[in-house]
């Protein structure tokens, strides 16, 4: 089986972090179908949804890595992670040009409403289901029933700025926010770095938000930085909504818990961060509305220099790349990896492994380095 696959120079690996997954690949007609099936599984199938969604995502990741367009089913029938169900979908698309299963999902009202509601900032699939079961079908319904539905603060902003927050963010927007952040950081604490991470860091030209990772060459200089930065941006009138967390605690201004490099098992890290909705000036070409600004989701994350490489790797993503990397590290190397650091659990007590850049992390994990543009799984 492996020799067929090697013939096409596809690396059939157990973990996505062991192969390259470029942004532009050859099998969009299949991966787009898988994305719908993945969403459908996680939205609708409450019992087995998670595992089914993961199966479609892993099949999709395999096709994204495949170095040419798939034209025959036997080419990929032996690829790890392309299971029976996925093969059936690919066969349908190859034979008929479409998958009936996917068509059925697309024509299902409930799917569209859940998709619409989960597009509201602060609304996950279970809230979306609740709203659907109460008979709501549009964002206007949610807005009109904000009181009865007891919307939390995120959801209120989510509905109010629904159109803005669902319009793709482009690179000029990201650069504008980065410039603003750098200007303010220079006034608070000179020599800080502020790097655009997330999808833009992997070469995407647009995304759903702007992720900015902030650090300083001196370890202690980032302490207290987030609150000062957010206060300045608030004073400038750039912040529509902010949710701050320092360490594990969601805080109001000025309450601090020092961020230590912790071996948290949760997928969330304990870095100081601010999930914000910011006002971004519109570019000269956006003259289609009376507002001179547009609301954008921005994540500001602060990391001390000793944790920088790990935070960078974690926040560049993609989510699936990180998942596979962390799983690989633990299962194959007994190394616990997160956005704060890595710890070798083959030793007792576990020993911290330091790294100053991403290359060193891959090296410690005995993995070939995967460039950021190839982490788009
Ligand atoms: P986008 O924004 O739709 O273009 O796509 P991404 O890849 O920028 O996704 P996003 O913004 O949700 O997250 C950026 C990366 O940061 C993602 O690959 C995973 C990571 N990330 C997001 N939230 C958390 C978190 O709470 N903890 C940790 N450790 N990582 C996170
Ligand atoms: Mg992002």
């Amino acid at each position: 089986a492996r020799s067929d696959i090697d013939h096409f120079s596809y690396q059939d690996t157990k973990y996505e972090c062991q192969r390259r997954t470029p942004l532009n690949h050859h099998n969009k007609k299949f991966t787009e179908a898988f994305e719908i099936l993945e969403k459908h599984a996680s939205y609708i199938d409450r019992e087995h949804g998670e595992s089914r969604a993961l199966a479609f995502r892993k099949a999709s990741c395999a096709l994204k890595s495949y170095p040419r367009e798939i034209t025959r089913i036997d080419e990929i029938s032996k690829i790890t992670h392309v299971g029976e169900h996925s093969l059936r979908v690919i066969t349908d698309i190859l034979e008929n040009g479409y998958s009936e299963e996917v068509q059925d999902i697309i024509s299902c009202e409930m799917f569209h409403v859940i998709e619409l509601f989960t597009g509201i900032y602060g609304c996950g699939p279970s809230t979306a289901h609740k709203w659907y079961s109460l008979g709501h079908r549009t964002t206007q319904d949610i807005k009109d029933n904000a009181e009865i539905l007891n919307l939390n603060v995120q959801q209120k902003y989510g509905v109010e700025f629904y159109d803005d927050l669902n319009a793709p963010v482009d690179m000029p927007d990201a650069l504008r926010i980065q410039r603003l952040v750098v200007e303010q950081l220079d006034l608070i604490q000179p020599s800080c770095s502020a790097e655009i991470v997330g999808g833009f860091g992997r070469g995407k030209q647009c995304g759903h938000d702007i992720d900015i990772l902030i650090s300083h060459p001196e370890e202690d200089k980032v302490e207290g930085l987030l609150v000062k930065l957010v206060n300045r941006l608030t004073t400038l009138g750039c912040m529509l909504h902010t949710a701050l967390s320092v360490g594990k605690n969601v805080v109001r201004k000025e309450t601090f818990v020092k961020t230590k490099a912790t071996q948290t098992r949760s997928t969330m890290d304990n870095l100081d961060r601010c999930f914000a909705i910011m006002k971004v000036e519109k570019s000269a070409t956006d003259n289609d509305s009376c507002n001179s600004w547009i609301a954008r989701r921005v994540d500001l994350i602060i990391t001390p220099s000793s944790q920088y490489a790990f935070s960078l790797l974690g926040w560049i993503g993609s989510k699936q790349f990180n998942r596979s990397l962390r799983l690989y590290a633990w299962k194959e190397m007994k190394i616990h990896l997160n956005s704060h650091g890595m710890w070798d659990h083959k030793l007792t007590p576990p020993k911290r492994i330091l790294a100053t850049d991403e290359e060193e992390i891959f090296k410690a994990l005995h993995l070939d380095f995967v460039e950021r543009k190839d982490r788009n799984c």
Side-chain angles (χ1 to χ4, degrees), residues 195-210:
E195 184 163 0
I196 300 175
V197 289
F200 290 110
R202 303 192 305 275
K204 279 172 75 175
Q205 285 309 303
C206 55
H208 93 284
D209 69 354
I210 301 148

Side-chain angles (χ1 to χ4, degrees), residues 245-256:
S245 75
V246 176
K248 269 185 185 158
N249 304 356
V250 175
V251 292
R252 271 180 265 283
K253 287 177 208 169
E254 314 300 348
T255 332
F256 280 112

